[in-house]
Amino acid sequence: MMAYVKRGNLEKLNIGSNDSRWDKYIKFANATIDNPSVPIDEKLDVHLRGNSVHIYYKGGRILEIKRNALNLDYNYFYSKKEHQNIPRTWMRYMFDNDQEELRKRNISPEKCLSPSEVKRVWEELQEKRDMLLAMKTPEEYFKEAAKIMDEWSRALLDDSDIKHEERLLQQRISVCNRHMEETDFIVLDIEFAVTNDKSVSYHSEKYLHPRFDIIALQPRKNFRLAVIELKKGMGATGLKGNGIFSQGVKSGVLDHIAKFEDTIGSARGYREFVQEMDEVLSMKVQCGVLPVELMGIKIPVEKPDFYLAYAGSGMEHFKGACESIGQPCICITDERQPFLKL
């Protein structure tokens, strides 16, 4: 297993120094955030990973910046419509000739591609991806890549993919909540995946890579950290008609609280997590992702607060259920401009 590289550690990238080849991509993305003529769903959202930078667009990763290369997942180029409505993930089973998995999915033999045909599909996707990555300027690259991501996003929305709708909302939240005069929370990170590297104090022995939707600062609470789990609709909340959250529902509310208490909210782990987020904060200010007014802010070394954020119908029912277990809830009433207000 690779040793965990903390988020915000960009030593190998030379970001912000004179010899960085990639600064212009980050600057271009940042400029979309502050430009009011760029619609909210077309803004480019920059987040830091260990020794790489991810730029998100419409709930997907439009660009990954690594030390020696730019990258884009070629799967974004895959269109179900062009391949007899076969989901992309099923191609793997055809390539491996995995009869059991194909049977489970009722794929008729005439729909099945041979391993060599699947390989050709993948090679075509990679070729398209490589042509795009060869573009010389951020302007050209993002303009063409956005067309691919628009198609990908539209196809998921046509399928009423609730997870994708949630990701779009998560990204709008990230884009909107940057300035302390407008919100109770400043978004610092999204999709925080907990490492299973045992040398990191907040790793979990119990859960495999728990993920948390949003990590934020609370300017009204001396910049104490907040961990926010976003729910759009009742689907994956585990909330029953009687107003009680069920135990044992994967990705349900109680499941998220348990994972938080076991990892980045645990007595053994929260200090190291706060330090890591402190690095992310100073690096994001340095890279121009977060406003300069946050320069020099230190995050207090205290256990983060855990919040649920809810959008969709049944809000009062959800809020009441949260209150009954003493769980603070942020209600999102405007999904186009989702400022996080308590």
Side-chain angles (χ1 to χ4, degrees):
M1 187 186 75
M2 294 280 287
Y4 180 60
V5 180
K6 301 212 157 152
R7 297 188 173 205
N9 178 345
L10 302 180
E11 283 165 23
K12 293 195 175 136
L13 266 171
N14 298 329
I15 295 291
S17 64
N18 295 333
D19 60 344
S20 170
R21 306 141 67 187
W22 309 133
D23 267 12
K24 55 187 188 229
Y25 287 88
I26 295 169
K27 286 194 174 98
F28 184 92
N30 289 342
T32 68
I33 300 288
D34 299 323
N35 183 346
S37 68
V38 177
I40 190 160
D41 281 337
E42 292 172 25
K43 291 184 187 287
L44 297 163
D45 188 21
V46 176
H47 290 282
L48 312 183
R49 303 296 177 248
N51 273 329
S52 68
V53 174
H54 290 183
I55 302 180
Y56 292 95
Y57 172 88
K58 289 204 175 168
R61 191 173 69 202
I62 194 168
L63 187 65
E64 179 182 20
I65 300 175
K66 290 185 153 176
R67 184 184 177 184
N68 296 319
L70 300 173
N71 191 29
L72 173 67
D73 188 336
Y74 64 77
N75 288 314
Y76 288 122
F77 291 81
Y78 183 84
S79 159
K80 255 189 356 181
K81 284 193 194 112
E82 288 171 19
H83 296 95
Q84 312 182 69
N85 264 344
I86 298 167
R88 177 187 58 73
T89 46
W90 296 6
M91 287 276 176
R92 165 62 58 196
Y93 308 127
M94 294 180 201
F95 186 72
D96 295 339
N97 199 14
D98 188 333
Q99 289 303 320
E100 192 187 339
E101 289 290 351
L102 293 170
R103 259 197 308 278
K104 263 192 222 167
R105 285 160 178 77
N106 290 330
I107 304 182
S108 56
E110 61 272 14
K111 263 195 172 183
C112 265
L113 302 179
S114 69
S116 64
E117 287 170 319
V118 172
K119 191 165 177 275
R120 201 175 71 238
V121 169
W122 283 342
E123 282 167 355
E124 280 169 13
L125 299 180
Q126 285 166 344
E127 257 170 52
K128 288 178 183 171
R129 188 263 322 266
D130 293 346
M131 274 169 65
L132 190 55
L133 288 170
M135 291 191 164
K136 291 285 178 278
T137 66
E139 289 83 350
E140 288 176 299
Y141 174 78
F142 286 120
K143 187 180 168 202
E144 292 308 312
K147 292 175 188 169
I148 303 301
M149 304 294 281
D150 289 343
E151 282 297 308
W152 165 79
S153 178
R154 197 174 302 120
L156 288 172
L157 292 175
D158 288 348
D159 281 351
S160 306
D161 185 315
I162 191 74
K163 281 308 294 172
H164 185 61
E165 288 177 30
E166 209 170 82
R167 280 194 298 268
L168 282 170
L169 178 58
Q170 178 190 32
Q171 201 183 321
R172 280 184 214 132
I173 290 169
S174 175
V175 161
C176 276
N177 294 272
R178 308 240 167 153
H179 296 277
M180 44 186 151
E181 63 277 8
E182 299 173 332
T183 176
D184 292 336
F185 298 88
I186 293 166
V187 175
L188 200 49
D189 198 11
I190 58 172
E191 292 295 317
F192 186 88
V194 174
T195 178
N196 56 2
D197 180 336
K198 288 183 168 35
S199 70
V200 177
S201 59
Y202 58 71
H203 85 275
S204 180
E205 293 289 339
K206 204 168 164 187
Y207 304 103
L208 186 63
H209 294 307
R211 268 176 192 272
F212 298 99
D213 289 333
I214 296 166
I215 314 295
L217 300 169
Q218 301 178 83
R220 321 246 181 287
K221 288 179 93 173
N222 192 28
F223 296 95
R224 186 181 185 149
L225 273 187
V227 175
I228 304 170
E229 198 52 44
L230 176 64
K231 294 291 176 195
K232 185 164 159 54
M234 290 292 169
T237 60
L239 181 55
K240 296 187 291 201
N242 62 4
I244 294 171
F245 291 112
S246 309
Q247 293 280 358
V249 175
K250 190 178 176 323
S251 297
V253 162
L254 299 181
D255 184 44
H256 285 303
I257 295 171
K259 285 172 176 169
F260 169 74
E261 294 294 348
D262 182 59
T263 56
I264 55 181
S266 66
R268 67 169 198 284
Y270 78 79
R271 290 173 188 81
E272 190 171 353
F273 175 64
V274 169
Q275 276 173 327
E276 183 170 350
M277 287 297 117
D278 214 41
E279 287 286 303
V280 170
L281 171 60
S282 62
M283 202 67 207
K284 278 197 156 184
V285 174
Q286 205 181 310
C287 295
V289 181
L290 285 174
V292 73
E293 68 204 44
L294 297 169
M295 177 85 75
I297 297 284
K298 290 299 281 177
I299 302 173
V301 185
E302 299 163 353
K303 178 180 167 172
D305 295 321
F306 184 82
Y307 294 89
L308 291 161
Y310 187 83
S313 58
M315 186 151 328
E316 287 308 311
H317 181 52
F318 185 82
K319 204 170 144 193
C322 287
E323 278 164 12
S324 72
I325 59 167
Q327 173 56 56
C329 175
I330 304 161
C331 297
I332 297 169
T333 47
D334 179 358
E335 292 186 33
R336 295 303 307 165
Q337 292 282 326
F339 292 108
L340 298 177
K341 302 269 194 176
L342 281 172

